[in-house]
Amino acid sequence: MSKALDGVRILDFTHVQSGPTCTQLLAWFGADVIKVEKAGEGDATRGQLRDIPGVDSLYFTMLNHNKRSITVNTKDPKGKEVLDRLIKTCDVLVENFAPGALDRMGFTWERIQELNPRMVVASVKGFGPGKYEDCKVYENVAQCAGGAASTTGFDDGPPLVTGAQIGDSGTGLHLALGIVAALYQRNATGRGQKVLAPMQDAVLNLCRVKLRDQQRLERTHTLNEYPQYPDTAFGDAVPRAGNASGGGQPGSILKCKGWENDPNAYIYFITQAAVWPAVCKVIGQEDWITDPAYAKPAARLLHLKPIFARIEKWTMTKTKFEAMEILNQYDIPCGPILSMKEISEEPSLRASGTIVEVDHPERGKYLTVGNPIKMSDSATEVTRSPLLGEHTDEVLQQLGYSAVEIGSLREAKVI
């Protein structure tokens, strides 16, 4: 079976997480991703958070599947010649260097256009154009600058970052879409273009409902579905909303049976208006169906705390999975709080390719996240990450270098 991006060649100058997330996704769709690394060192994450001494870390392996690795000394003139040839033969260059680093290497947009006017140059940066564009940004900085941290957590506590890597991996996903769109447009124009995905912008895009709420707050001075209502006055900015739903349906995380000893014995429960009578029947509170204080959604907003307290009395008599089974019979929206251990052991996720076991020549078998996007005519096969420089000779031969030339480059420590 063919792959969606068969024939597309990516020159991968990325490192750590945001860029590698992007290029790994493109590789999963069939692109030939050539990862350029510094000889003897490689991507910094090869050595970060190691669990096996001297072996590529899980941090690296789980972000660089399906790629080829070459090592090149980009400061050497002969190394730059290698890069010239790569640029001429690749469709996309992806980088997440510090601002200006690619220019300092001698590969300005103008120079790349001279070498290959069809090349798409895609970049991850911390901020877009403006007063912060030269600042270095990491995951948690992006979450803070993009509006996520200020709206995450409980109202009586500090801002919180989320465990989901929305700054790094979230930006990589946005950049991958931009690259595919640029390649599609190239079919009509014949030209490459620059694609930029600032981390702040990507996080904000994922926090758009909070920008929505900011404008609602400025107009009405209240956010009735937030847990502060009706007891606490609202300020001039969207507050932290605890575990309240981001949509129009009130929701909360509730204890389940065994919560005293299991930190994940909880369920997320949504009191959707359409199934309110069913909620009342399940928890044994049928009088609420007609009680004016609870019958209508607007009236229930005044009583969400006691409503969820009553529902929790019911959920605490069930395990999270028992509660799920009962609630799903009535189409009541809910979801268990799953630990990473439970997720890693879930058979359905293994069967769908969302969790994949990969065999590595040095670390052995390990679990990784597979392609989250499923396509009927472009199945994803997750292959292991490359060893440092594993494909250097192979790629150079494809670029037209002879065995003698490759040996000379190796002796000169260019590769």
Side-chain angles (χ1 to χ4, degrees):
M1 183 181 290
S2 64
K3 304 291 185 181
L5 294 181
D6 273 348
V8 174
R9 179 171 283 183
I10 310 291
L11 183 55
D12 184 357
F13 271 114
T14 70
H15 58 286
V16 191
Q17 186 178 166
S18 59
T21 296
C22 168
T23 53
Q24 178 172 260
L25 190 61
L26 299 173
W28 280 340
F29 288 136
D32 177 15
V33 176
I34 301 171
K35 186 177 179 74
V36 179
E37 301 186 76
K38 186 176 181 179
E41 297 181 20
D43 190 318
T45 58
R46 285 185 183 270
Q48 289 181 0
L49 305 176
R50 275 185 170 141
D51 57 322
I52 303 175
V55 175
D56 287 341
S57 72
L58 288 167
Y59 195 7
F60 176 84
T61 60
M62 293 176 70
L63 287 163
N64 291 281
H65 295 108
N66 296 61
K67 302 178 185 180
R68 298 195 287 171
S69 169
I70 69 170
T71 54
V72 181
N73 180 358
T74 59
K75 295 181 180 179
D76 188 285
K78 292 183 179 180
K80 289 188 176 181
E81 181 186 324
V82 172
L83 295 183
D84 281 353
R85 292 199 196 186
L86 281 168
I87 290 171
K88 289 177 181 178
T89 60
C90 288
D91 298 284
V92 184
L93 185 156
V94 189
E95 61 91 14
N96 63 332
F97 292 129
L102 198 61
D103 291 352
R104 291 190 293 274
M105 289 170 58
F107 293 101
T108 62
W109 167 248
E110 291 74 21
R111 174 58 178 159
I112 292 171
Q113 285 283 285
E114 289 176 10
L115 294 168
N116 184 356
R118 288 175 55 82
M119 174 162 271
V120 172
V121 178
S123 303
V124 170
K125 292 292 177 277
F127 295 94
K131 61 181 179 179
Y132 299 123
E133 62 184 308
D134 293 329
C135 296
K136 185 180 289 187
V137 172
Y138 290 92
E139 169 67 43
N140 288 354
V141 175
Q143 289 196 32
C144 293
S150 71
T151 56
T152 303
F154 290 92
D155 198 41
D156 58 354
L160 290 177
V161 297
T162 174
Q165 303 290 280
I166 61 175
D168 277 327
S169 289
T171 303
L173 292 169
H174 282 83
L175 187 65
L177 175 59
I179 289 169
V180 172
L183 288 172
Y184 185 82
Q185 187 174 16
R186 192 180 71 175
N187 292 335
T189 66
R191 300 191 307 274
Q193 61 181 294
K194 292 186 284 186
V195 179
L196 173 65
M199 295 172 73
Q200 181 188 40
D201 299 32
V203 171
L204 177 57
N205 186 43
L206 298 174
C207 292
R208 66 176 63 191
V209 297
K210 299 301 182 179
L211 183 59
R212 171 205 67 191
D213 290 348
Q214 179 63 38
Q215 295 171 88
R216 293 171 55 227
L217 178 62
E218 290 172 359
R219 184 177 298 275
T220 66
H221 309 293
T222 186
L223 296 169
N224 291 2
E225 76 284 3
Y226 275 55
Q228 289 83 352
Y229 179 82
D231 305 317
T232 306
F234 287 84
D236 60 0
V238 174
R240 291 180 274 288
N243 291 317
S245 171
Q249 308 293 339
S252 186
I253 291 179
L254 306 177
K255 297 173 183 174
C256 290
K257 188 176 182 179
W259 68 272
E260 299 93 340
N261 300 310
D262 181 355
N264 296 299
Y266 290 81
I267 192 169
Y268 197 88
F269 194 111
I270 297 176
T271 57
Q272 187 179 30
V275 294
W276 176 247
V279 171
C280 296
K281 291 177 182 178
V282 166
I283 66 173
Q285 201 73 52
E286 295 186 42
D287 57 305
W288 281 359
I289 297 174
T290 55
D291 188 330
Y294 300 95
K296 300 294 183 180
R300 290 196 291 274
L301 289 175
L302 294 166
H303 308 287
L304 287 181
K305 292 184 182 69
I307 286 173
F308 282 119
R310 175 64 184 86
I311 296 172
E312 190 173 56
K313 286 184 178 180
W314 178 83
T315 60
M316 289 172 66
T317 67
K318 315 291 182 194
T319 69
K320 59 189 177 186
F321 298 112
E322 290 171 343
M324 277 280 293
E325 187 173 347
I326 294 170
L327 297 172
N328 281 328
Q329 294 176 26
Y330 298 92
D331 290 328
I332 298 171
C334 59
I337 308 304
L338 295 180
S339 68
M340 278 296 153
K341 179 175 174 58
E342 289 170 317
I343 288 173
S344 67
E345 296 172 351
E346 173 54 49
S348 64
L349 295 178
R350 300 285 188 102
S352 68
T354 300
I355 296 289
V356 182
E357 186 175 72
V358 178
D359 199 3
H360 189 276
E362 295 180 343
R363 71 162 34 257
K365 292 183 178 180
Y366 66 95
L367 292 183
T368 189
V369 178
N371 194 343
I373 302 170
K374 315 300 194 261
M375 298 176 67
S376 62
D377 282 1
S378 184
T380 298
E381 178 187 359
V382 177
T383 61
R384 68 168 175 85
S385 60
L387 302 176
L388 179 60
E390 180 177 352
H391 304 95
T392 301
D393 289 6
E394 176 182 282
V395 172
L396 291 179
Q397 288 170 4
Q398 292 174 348
L399 292 175
Y401 284 90
S402 68
V404 173
E405 289 174 316
I406 293 173
S408 176
L409 290 173
R410 197 170 298 284
E411 287 180 7
K413 297 184 178 180
V414 175
I415 58 175

